[in-house]
Amino acid sequence: MKKILLLLVLLVTAVFTAACSSESKEEEPAILDVKLTINPEKAEVNEPVVFEANVTYGEEEVTDAEEVKFEIWRANDENHEKVAVEHAENGIYRLEKSFTEEGTYYIYSHVTAKNMHSMPKKEFVIGQPSEPEQDDSEMKMNMEEEEAEHNGDH
């Protein structure tokens, strides 16, 4: 009987110890945040434009991202230029570039850090804007509408 009581006390102690240790809150993983800025957002031909990706992980500035690339292209152009960017300061990755052709442009900042990937996109204009690209969701809706019209004809 004493052995059963001792076993019961040990079992209760083990359960209590396990319950107490699991109560300590686990930290929620931080999120990789990339704030993409363009200065100026409307520039003239051959005027330098500064692109910055401010990269943070939670409250921490990311100075050692695995990869930071800026993908830049003129609206409706299949040629996308990809430029690897190094850390400048305080979690900021910077590229200065000028453009020889007017139009509406787009930039993605591809950032890989802390086993996460973020790719914010922005639009900017050099000189006079050109025909902007259709939004992906807008294109998908148009394709679905055309498909529905086509299927309705049969």
Side-chain angles (χ1 to χ4, degrees):
M1 185 73 174
K2 286 184 181 182
K3 286 183 182 178
I4 294 174
L5 188 58
L6 182 60
L7 252 152
L8 192 58
V9 169
L10 287 174
L11 185 63
V12 168
T13 304
V15 169
F16 181 76
T17 304
C20 287
S21 64
S22 69
E23 281 180 24
S24 61
K25 289 188 176 181
E26 292 183 25
E27 282 187 34
E28 286 189 31
I31 293 177
L32 182 65
D33 185 35
V34 179
K35 289 186 177 46
L36 178 61
T37 58
I38 304 168
N39 189 15
E41 287 189 17
K42 183 166 183 1
E44 295 304 318
V45 171
N46 296 321
E47 178 184 345
V49 179
V50 177
F51 304 96
E52 289 185 346
N54 186 346
V55 184
T56 55
Y57 181 72
E59 299 294 315
E60 169 193 346
E61 295 170 343
V62 176
T63 60
D64 60 348
E66 292 149 46
E67 181 180 61
V68 178
K69 276 187 185 170
F70 289 154
E71 179 180 356
I72 303 168
W73 71 99
R74 190 171 184 273
N76 303 307
D77 191 344
E78 291 181 16
N79 296 325
H80 292 207
E81 179 182 12
K82 292 182 182 171
V83 181
V85 184
E86 298 294 319
H87 178 253
E89 72 221 358
N90 305 326
I92 296 173
Y93 296 76
R94 181 179 299 123
L95 171 69
E96 184 173 310
K97 180 175 175 48
S98 51
F99 298 83
T100 57
E101 192 177 351
E102 288 189 327
T104 301
Y105 285 80
Y106 298 93
I107 180 171
Y108 269 121
S109 66
H110 297 273
V111 179
T112 304
K114 311 288 184 189
N115 295 321
M116 296 183 186
H117 188 77
S118 178
M119 43 188 286
K121 178 183 179 184
K122 286 217 167 196
E123 180 181 289
F124 62 101
V125 174
I126 303 299
Q128 292 299 311
S130 59
E131 183 70 29
E133 293 183 347
Q134 273 194 315
D135 184 13
D136 289 345
S137 58
E138 208 176 291
M139 282 177 48
K140 186 178 177 186
M141 279 180 33
N142 288 345
M143 287 174 58
E144 288 171 355
E145 285 174 10
E146 287 175 19
E147 194 174 295
E149 287 174 11
H150 178 72
N151 290 338
D153 289 342
H154 288 116

